[in-house]
Amino acid sequence: MGFESWRYHSFERTFTKEDVELFTKVSMDEGDHHMNPDELGRVVVQGLLTATLPTKVGGEYNVLARTMNFEFFRPVFTGDTISCEVTIEKLEWKDNDRISIMASFLCANQMEKQVLSGSFAGVIVG
């Protein structure tokens, strides 16, 4: 598979109350805004749960991350559908049969408002 054929990735996910409850149990991030619904019945999705979106690409390509950078712009609520666009910025073949990877990403909600951006770098193993 050539570099250009998988350089850009786009996908989306709608976060549910069950997602937040499970992540709360695993992470122990029990802030009131994650536990108590607002006047519309929504809770705020944990930032690190939202940040799992770009890691989907890492999972698909067996990336062992070395660095991950996140900038959060606005809250994500249960019921929000977040689209994530990941761009592979650089691939470099190493002598040890590993590939170094650098990528950037942008995530936006269903109203096309940016909620998260950032980057990750690491190696593709296996």
Side-chain angles (χ1 to χ4, degrees):
M1 173 185 324
F3 175 64
E4 289 301 322
S5 68
W6 60 279
R7 184 172 178 180
Y8 302 100
H9 299 270
S10 181
F11 49 92
E12 65 181 33
R13 175 178 179 182
T14 302
F15 287 98
T16 67
K17 187 160 180 10
E18 292 76 24
D19 295 331
V20 172
E21 289 169 352
L22 182 58
F23 194 81
T24 297
K25 186 174 183 177
V26 171
S27 68
M28 295 185 280
D29 182 352
E30 299 174 343
D32 287 343
H33 50 293
H34 303 310
M35 307 294 288
N36 300 318
D38 67 6
E39 63 280 352
L40 300 176
R42 311 169 303 172
V43 296
V44 175
V45 176
Q46 289 92 340
L48 288 179
L49 177 53
T50 305
T52 63
L53 288 171
T55 67
K56 178 181 185 303
V57 171
E60 288 176 0
Y61 294 103
N62 208 24
V63 173
L64 179 59
R66 182 167 293 134
T67 62
M68 300 176 91
N69 299 295
F70 304 108
E71 185 171 358
F72 299 92
F73 297 101
R74 58 182 35 87
V76 171
F77 294 92
T78 52
D80 283 352
T81 299
I82 307 301
S83 63
C84 184
E85 296 180 3
V86 178
T87 303
I88 308 302
E89 304 288 349
K90 181 178 176 184
L91 287 178
E92 184 178 336
W93 278 256
K94 300 289 186 178
D95 292 334
N96 58 359
D97 294 330
R98 290 189 179 188
I99 301 169
S100 176
I101 185 173
M102 292 176 51
S104 62
F105 55 86
L106 296 170
C107 299
N109 64 20
Q110 66 276 7
M111 295 172 290
E112 299 183 7
K113 300 284 186 181
Q114 191 170 350
V115 297
L116 173 65
S117 72
S119 62
F120 64 86
V123 294
I124 298 174
V125 295

